[in-house]
Every structure is written in C-alpha cells, then in structure tokens.
Amino acid sequence: MKEENIIIAMETGGHVDPNPDKDIDKNRDTAECENKVAPIAIESKALLDQDYPDFVEKYFSRHYCNGVKDEGDDYCVLVHSNRVCLVTLADTHKLKASDKIPVKVDFQISDKINRGDNAMTGKGKRGAQQLQNNSILCHVTCEDGTTYSIHAAVAGKLLAINQDLVQTPEAVKKSYIAIVLPSIPTFESFQIPLKNDDGFYDVVCDD
C-alpha cells in the first residue's frame, strides 16, 4: 500500500478509496456538460435572430397616390392579392408630415353621409357606399383647430372604417383609415413592379 494511502487508512479507520480520482473525473464531466449547448438550441437561436417580413410586407403591395385633392394630399394604399385595399396616410401627407396632434376623427362627412353607416349584404357587398378616389372618408381635427379632409385615394366599395380612430384619433397617422374593395378594372390597373430594397412594392398612382 502506498504511503499516502496508509496515512488515509489510519485517519479513516482503515477504509481506502480504491479509485481516489473518481471525484475529479465526475467534476470534469459536469463542467463539460455545462459548457455544451444542444445543436437544436443553437439552430433555434439562429432562426430567431433572422429578420422576417411582417404581415403587411408579406401579403400587401404598397401603392402611392399623391396629390389626390391638392398638394400634400398623399396616400399609401396597401393592396392585397384578393383586391382588398387598406387606405393609409403616406409619410408625405401634410397631416402626417406635420407635428400637429389629431384630437378628433369624424366619419360624419356631411349631414346625410356617415361612413360608419355602411350596411351591406351578400358576397357582392350590396348596399356598400361607393367611393371615388377623391371621396372624403373622414375629417380630422387637430389640437390647434386645423382640420384635414381625408380622401379614399382609390375608387371602389367601402367595406369598413377603422372605428378605433374615434377613440384614439392620434393613431390616424400610423394606422389604416378604411378598407376598400376596388372594381376589377381598377384593381387590374395596379401594375405590380419588382420589389424595392426594403421588400415592398412602390407604385405612384396616375390620376
């Protein structure tokens, strides 16, 4: 018996561990396991780190309709392949480009017409309000009293308005205003070009 084992045996009442290095090996194995990362976890993290297109970028093309009524009356129409169009303000719209704060969105555009009263039935959307590109969708009043008339930008049937804007008028600068179903000829007139660098289609409407 080795001298060091004799000393251990004396101190432990005669018991000597036949494999004194096993604790060292166990600690080494534990450290190695802690440093290992499962390959599937690495792959999952790599997938999460990738940039994926958002819903709008993936399913809609962007069409710009500038100067619908006058200079600065610019709109970005998001066009889906099923013909549905979402009308939004373009970044160059005089309201969106300003520092003005909207405090009221009113879909009652006249004494007789309220865009919120849009009863329609059936697959053909019978009874839906008919819009021209320069039809008014709503009036927006800002904190300083300035009022803007927001236009449809695309001719077709009004399917819905964004009722949430009544409660949160400031969102009119970044949200959709109305959903419009253009006629088939109008929809077919949209030319779909190649995507630009940021993944969108860009078209300027010629009115």
Side-chain angles (χ1 to χ4, degrees):
M1 182 179 292
K2 292 183 179 180
E3 182 178 350
E4 60 268 22
N5 287 343
I6 294 174
I7 296 174
I8 294 173
M10 292 174 62
E11 293 176 348
T12 59
H15 174 71
V16 178
D17 191 337
N19 187 13
D21 295 330
K22 68 178 182 180
D23 289 337
I24 297 175
D25 294 337
K26 182 178 180 181
N27 292 336
R28 184 185 299 114
D29 292 341
T30 301
E32 289 177 354
C33 289
E34 290 176 349
N35 291 330
K36 288 182 179 179
V37 179
I40 189 171
I42 296 175
E43 293 175 3
S44 298
K45 185 178 186 304
L47 290 173
L48 291 174
D49 288 342
Q50 293 183 24
D51 291 329
Y52 290 97
D54 61 20
F55 179 81
V56 172
E57 181 179 340
K58 187 174 182 180
Y59 294 106
F60 290 83
S61 59
R62 266 187 328 196
H63 293 254
Y64 291 101
C65 300
N66 298 331
V68 171
K69 193 69 175 179
D70 50 32
E71 185 177 356
D73 193 27
D74 304 338
Y75 299 88
C76 176
V77 180
L78 304 176
V79 183
H80 193 274
S81 58
N82 65 3
R83 288 172 51 205
V84 169
C85 295
L86 275 65
V87 180
T88 71
L89 300 182
D91 290 340
T92 54
H93 190 281
K94 49 192 172 184
L95 169 58
K96 189 170 182 178
S98 72
D99 295 329
K100 298 181 185 297
I101 301 174
V103 294
K104 182 181 180 181
V105 174
D106 189 2
F107 289 99
Q108 182 79 45
I109 63 170
S110 69
D111 292 339
K112 296 182 178 180
I113 301 177
N114 187 325
R115 296 304 184 193
D117 298 334
N118 190 42
M120 55 186 174
T121 59
K123 189 175 181 180
K125 311 302 179 186
R126 292 183 179 180
Q129 296 181 25
Q130 295 288 337
L131 302 172
Q132 299 301 317
N133 69 319
N134 60 354
S135 296
I136 297 175
L137 290 175
C138 63
H139 298 294
V140 178
T141 303
C142 294
E143 200 172 42
D144 64 353
T146 306
T147 300
Y148 296 88
S149 295
I150 306 302
H151 299 93
V154 59
K157 294 181 179 180
L158 177 64
L159 299 186
I161 58 171
N162 188 352
Q163 291 280 8
D164 291 342
L165 298 179
V166 176
Q167 300 298 325
T168 55
E170 66 278 4
V172 73
K173 286 189 171 186
K174 57 184 179 180
S175 184
Y176 79 93
I177 300 160
I179 302 175
V180 178
L181 182 67
S183 64
I184 293 178
T186 299
F187 176 74
E188 290 178 345
S189 70
F190 291 133
Q191 296 180 358
I192 307 300
L194 295 176
K195 286 187 175 182
N196 60 20
D197 292 339
D198 62 4
F200 287 95
Y201 299 103
D202 287 336
V203 176
V204 176
C205 300
D206 295 324
D207 295 323

